[in-house]
Amino acid sequence: MNTDPTPLAQCKAGIAAWQQAFNRQDAQACAMQYTRDAIMEAKPFGVFHGREQIAQFWQDIIDQGFHSVDYSDVDWQPSPEGGFILTSKWTMNKAYGVVHREHWIVEQDGLARLVYDEFEVLGEK
């Protein structure tokens, strides 16, 4: 359990929960790390609105055999709109890319979730 109540620590716990959900191949749990009305721009695949579309995207990726996501060069910056912006590089077993902008906010229930997610696949492994 997260014992550090700061918003940044909550956001870091949110990305850790998303990564764990993906690595155990649980698309619904991945989608629960997004706000109800989140927008996800997955380049070159398209733009997905809301948890249902986002869950379907992650399920499709999982069904294609993608797993083992890891992040590097992670940077967190405060957002002028509240919450924090994460940028990073990422790798999976079959692809790699960059996170251009993940906007994490802490919701009323005290959990951090993505309100906006923009990432790009740069290549295949």
Side-chain angles (χ1 to χ4, degrees):
M1 179 166 195
N2 182 18
T3 58
D4 184 347
T6 66
L8 179 56
Q10 290 168 296
C11 292
K12 288 180 178 181
I15 188 60
W18 183 91
Q19 182 177 2
Q20 291 164 8
F22 184 82
N23 287 342
R24 70 174 182 270
Q25 305 285 272
D26 187 342
Q28 289 300 319
C30 288
M32 291 307 294
Q33 297 305 313
Y34 291 80
T35 62
R36 188 169 308 280
D37 299 322
I39 297 171
M40 182 177 77
E41 185 172 353
K43 297 175 181 178
F45 307 104
V47 178
F48 303 85
H49 299 269
R51 283 186 186 149
E52 187 175 321
Q53 287 185 6
I54 290 169
Q56 186 59 58
F57 172 84
W58 290 121
Q59 188 63 60
D60 290 346
I61 293 295
I62 289 166
D63 290 348
Q64 292 174 46
F66 289 86
H67 57 78
S68 303
V69 70
D70 197 19
Y71 296 88
S72 62
D73 298 333
V74 177
D75 183 54
W76 291 93
Q77 294 296 322
S79 171
E81 302 160 353
F84 289 86
I85 304 297
L86 175 148
T87 57
S88 72
K89 296 177 184 174
W90 60 265
T91 60
M92 289 183 187
N93 63 313
K94 294 168 58 171
Y96 62 93
V98 295
V99 173
H100 293 291
R101 186 176 192 266
E102 285 186 357
H103 185 181
W104 288 86
I105 60 167
V106 177
E107 292 198 295
Q108 290 294 323
D109 64 3
L111 297 177
R113 292 189 179 89
L114 282 158
V115 67
Y116 181 78
D117 185 7
E118 179 185 348
F119 64 92
E120 183 172 4
V121 176
L122 295 179
E124 297 179 9
K125 287 184 164 184

